[in-house]
Amino acid sequence: MKLVLLHKYIIVFVLSLVSATAFSQTVVIDGEIRPRVEYRDGYSKPLLEANDPGVFTIQRTRLGMTFTSAILTTQITLQDARTYGQNANASADATTGIYEAWAEMLLAQGGSFKIGRQPLNYDDKRLFSSPAWSNTGTAHDVALFKYNINDFQAHLGLAYNNNTLISSEAYYNPLSNYRYMGFLWLSKELAKGLTLTAIGIDEGVQDTVSVGLTYHKKVSMNHAYTFGGNLKFQSEASPVSALATAYFQAGNNFKENKMNGKMLALKVDYKISNTIAANIGTDYFSGDSNGTTDKTQSNFKKLYGADHTFNGIMDYWNTPLTQGLLDYYGGVTGKIGKNLSLEGAFHVFNTEFSGKNKKNIAFGKDLGSEFDFIMNYKLNTWTVLQAGWCKYFSNNNTLAAKDITTSSTVVPAIRNPQWAYVMLTIKPKFL
């Protein structure tokens, strides 16, 4: 009798282990279907009056599978990004690729190792981001060591790129802008609601001027350094939140010129009520003067952040001019009911230095201004409808800075710069 009871206990114990193991593992299969129609009548730069606006539809389709257990998490996401009509109706051309494919393993308490193709998102998303707006997204082939204990986090990332399999050193065609990349990110909560982060990035970039020389048979790279941090205050007990950002650059660029760029930003948000909030801020990107003979690159080098998020969503200055950029902005957001939200923002743009365009036409510091309006409406659990309309108020400096003006005596006629879009985002969970 005792032997029978012992067998029963053993069976119950084994079944409980199997059950616990099964339930500690989860598999999620989800997707995204996101078509977007755009009307471009001066998007990114003014459109000459002789041209008609552009209208097109693009779509991003993703299918993702996530596996999670106590010690292992993996993510594989397939992606197809296309413009409607770019492939024939009966085309056999392959269009689907891998957007992300990574595995993260628990090494010790608070420590993990993540390797594979993966998006990187840090702080204000100016340096590293997987931009939601982009039709393709941004991902890196990187090994990432992560440590997280209490209110302290540390991430160490390492990447090394090649065009193909190599048996000896060969010149890397910089498809990813860097041959080697390493970064260290630290985050610490200083007080309740106050967080300080710091980041240092080392990019190994190859010389693109002397391609073909024996120099490229040796592993030798210029190193471009970006470092800085963010100080963020956000608390549910306070209607005010703020973010201060400072990044600096040093080292050498791909031309072996010294780098001395800086980027400073400050944004303050104020929650007026449960449904209305306002914000004000400024961004500063250092620039170079056209008249200088110094080979030092003082304009801030753009990295892998979210272009569309900053400096106006018409993307006139998402890559700042060589002469630098100052963006003064303010905005208001509001909610109407549970499903509808509205957002409006106004930007005023200037350069740090006056400049000259490719045709040697001079332009001043005032680059014009921009108004952005966005509406989001949640149709159901899986579907969000977003629409936007933007207007750019250009001037003669805008036309010269965008290389539209080619004569010092003739100002070309342009259309009224505006841009509109409608985007439907459907994110079902299949399993």
Side-chain angles (χ1 to χ4, degrees), residues 283-338:
D283 293 351
Y284 163 70
F285 296 83
S286 62
D288 290 313
S289 173
N290 283 65
T292 182
T293 57
D294 187 2
K295 290 187 177 181
T296 300
Q297 178 184 329
S298 295
N299 65 303
F300 189 82
K301 176 195 173 188
K302 175 184 170 183
L303 266 70
Y304 316 102
D307 290 340
H308 195 69
T309 305
F310 304 102
N311 310 129
I313 64 174
M314 283 189 76
D315 296 339
Y316 268 57
W317 316 111
N318 57 9
T319 299
L321 292 170
T322 302
Q323 293 79 17
L325 181 69
L326 290 99
D327 175 13
Y328 306 97
Y329 63 89
V332 177
T333 60
K335 290 184 178 180
I336 302 175
K338 295 182 179 180

Side-chain angles (χ1 to χ4, degrees), residues 61-298:
T61 306
R62 287 178 176 173
L63 178 63
M65 182 177 70
T66 307
F67 169 83
T68 305
S69 71
I71 60 173
L72 176 67
T73 301
T74 66
Q75 173 74 42
I76 298 175
T77 303
L78 303 180
Q79 175 176 275
D80 174 75
R82 66 174 65 213
T83 301
Y84 280 17
Q86 76 176 57
N87 295 102
N89 294 341
S91 173
D93 295 337
T95 58
T96 303
I98 296 289
Y99 170 62
E100 57 182 329
W102 52 263
E104 183 173 2
M105 294 163 281
L106 181 67
L107 299 178
Q109 183 177 4
S112 63
F113 173 62
K114 184 178 180 181
I115 189 168
R117 187 159 187 84
Q118 55 190 286
L120 298 174
N121 291 285
Y122 288 99
D123 299 325
D124 58 354
K125 298 185 179 182
R126 291 182 189 270
L127 303 182
F128 288 114
S129 172
S130 173
W133 175 261
S134 168
N135 205 41
T136 57
T138 301
H140 300 256
D141 302 312
V142 64
L144 186 62
F145 297 88
K146 302 166 68 175
Y147 179 76
N148 185 357
I149 190 74
N150 297 327
D151 56 1
F152 175 75
Q153 296 181 70
H155 290 187
L156 174 64
L158 299 169
Y160 194 88
N161 294 324
N162 282 292
N163 290 118
T164 185
L165 302 176
I166 59 173
S167 297
S168 62
E169 175 60 9
Y171 177 73
Y172 173 65
N173 183 24
L175 298 174
S176 294
N177 298 325
Y178 56 81
R179 175 71 180 275
Y180 151 83
M181 190 264 289
F183 70 89
L184 176 64
W185 175 78
L186 305 172
S187 176
K188 172 69 176 177
E189 186 177 10
L190 303 178
K192 188 175 181 180
L194 185 63
T195 303
L196 176 65
T197 65
I199 191 169
I201 305 168
D202 174 14
E203 294 178 282
V205 292
Q206 288 189 292
D207 181 7
T208 60
V209 177
S210 51
V211 176
L213 302 180
T214 56
Y215 163 83
H216 296 294
K217 295 182 179 179
K218 301 283 187 180
V219 177
S220 181
M221 290 180 282
N222 300 323
H223 287 264
Y225 304 105
T226 301
F227 53 92
N230 289 260
L231 183 62
K232 182 178 182 179
F233 173 75
Q234 187 173 14
S235 172
E236 291 186 1
S238 172
V240 178
S241 60
L243 177 66
T245 302
Y247 296 125
F248 305 91
Q249 292 182 328
N252 299 90
N253 62 17
F254 64 92
K255 293 182 178 179
E256 297 188 348
N257 294 336
K258 291 184 178 180
M259 300 178 64
N260 187 30
K262 52 185 174 290
M263 185 269 154
L264 306 174
L266 176 64
K267 182 181 180 183
V268 178
D269 292 87
Y270 182 73
K271 189 176 181 180
I272 301 172
S273 68
N274 290 333
T275 58
I276 301 175
N279 64 77
I280 188 171
T282 182
D283 293 351
Y284 163 70
F285 296 83
S286 62
D288 290 313
S289 173
N290 283 65
T292 182
T293 57
D294 187 2
K295 290 187 177 181
T296 300
Q297 178 184 329
S298 295

Side-chain angles (χ1 to χ4, degrees), residues 369-418:
S369 56
E370 177 180 332
F371 172 73
D372 302 328
F373 175 77
I374 298 175
M375 179 203 74
N376 286 285
Y377 184 75
K378 187 176 181 180
L379 296 173
N380 51 52
T381 306
W382 307 283
T383 310
V384 174
L385 175 67
Q386 184 180 97
W389 176 80
C390 305
K391 170 79 174 75
Y392 198 92
F393 302 92
S394 62
N395 55 31
N396 290 346
N397 293 329
T398 312
L399 303 185
K402 284 294 185 180
D403 295 310
I404 295 174
T405 302
T406 58
S407 170
S408 58
T409 59
V410 179
V411 177
I414 63 167
R415 293 177 59 87
N416 183 22
Q418 57 182 325

